[in-house]
Amino acid sequence: MKNLLKPLCLIAFISIFATSCTTLSRQMKEANYKVEFKKDDFTYSELNTGSAIETKILGIDWQRLFKKEYFGPAQTLQNQIPFVGAVLDPSAVDGYAMYDLMAKNPGYDVIFFPTFERKGFSIPNLYSKTEVKVTAKLGKLVNK
């Protein structure tokens, strides 16, 4: 009996931990759509500016801890504010500055080629203050 107990316990242990949950998923194929705009599809503004200041104490932005500023139902900066142009590795404070730009100029649909001016001061892991000023032209879709 003792000789059977060890192999049965080993088989029971292996069968319990070797089994896993089954996950079934289905995916829908995404449509391959492309929307092309021409320069004449937009009316353009003059250069406008927006700004934002981010102050972090102990690595946390206490001012925006429970407040998010973005346009539309987006989760990342690339999807938050529609802009045209290359913004390499945008930070959250860049997004806040673009939010300020769009909030100051209601009625526009897109930001064209934003440029950023950054000023900052930092004591690593304790305190940092970053000021960002964004300058760009804004575009509004023309109804034809």
Side-chain angles (χ1 to χ4, degrees):
M1 182 78 172
K2 286 188 176 187
N3 290 342
L4 284 176
L5 188 60
K6 285 184 180 179
L8 286 176
C9 287
L10 182 64
I11 291 171
F13 179 79
I14 290 173
S15 64
I16 289 172
F17 289 102
T19 60
S20 63
C21 296
T22 302
T23 303
L24 301 174
S25 65
R26 294 179 185 254
Q27 292 180 331
M28 293 181 66
K29 201 172 192 181
E30 289 185 30
N32 186 10
Y33 58 88
K34 184 176 179 180
V35 178
E36 291 186 20
F37 291 110
K38 296 183 176 95
K39 186 176 180 181
D40 296 337
D41 293 338
F42 293 96
T43 56
Y44 301 95
S45 71
E46 296 299 319
L47 284 175
N48 291 300
T49 61
S51 61
I53 298 174
E54 179 183 62
T55 304
K56 288 186 176 182
I57 300 171
L58 299 175
I60 299 171
D61 185 4
W62 296 97
Q63 180 182 4
R64 295 182 182 95
L65 187 60
F66 298 109
K67 179 176 124 180
K68 300 295 178 201
E69 299 173 334
Y70 56 85
F71 286 91
Q75 302 302 319
T76 63
L77 176 65
Q78 288 79 8
N79 296 327
Q80 289 176 2
I81 298 172
F83 63 90
V84 175
V87 178
L88 302 176
D89 196 24
S91 66
V93 71
D94 294 341
Y96 298 143
M98 288 193 291
Y99 175 89
D100 183 56
L101 175 65
M102 293 294 282
K104 285 181 184 177
N105 301 285
Y108 286 97
D109 300 313
V110 65
I111 299 172
F112 285 101
F113 301 100
T115 57
F116 298 94
E117 294 177 35
R118 294 180 185 87
K119 293 179 187 173
F121 172 75
S122 177
I123 300 173
N125 298 326
L126 293 177
Y127 176 84
S128 70
K129 183 175 182 176
T130 307
E131 298 177 35
V132 173
K133 179 182 171 188
V134 62
T135 305
K137 286 189 175 188
L138 301 175
K140 190 183 304 185
L141 279 171
V142 176
N143 293 333
K144 290 185 178 184

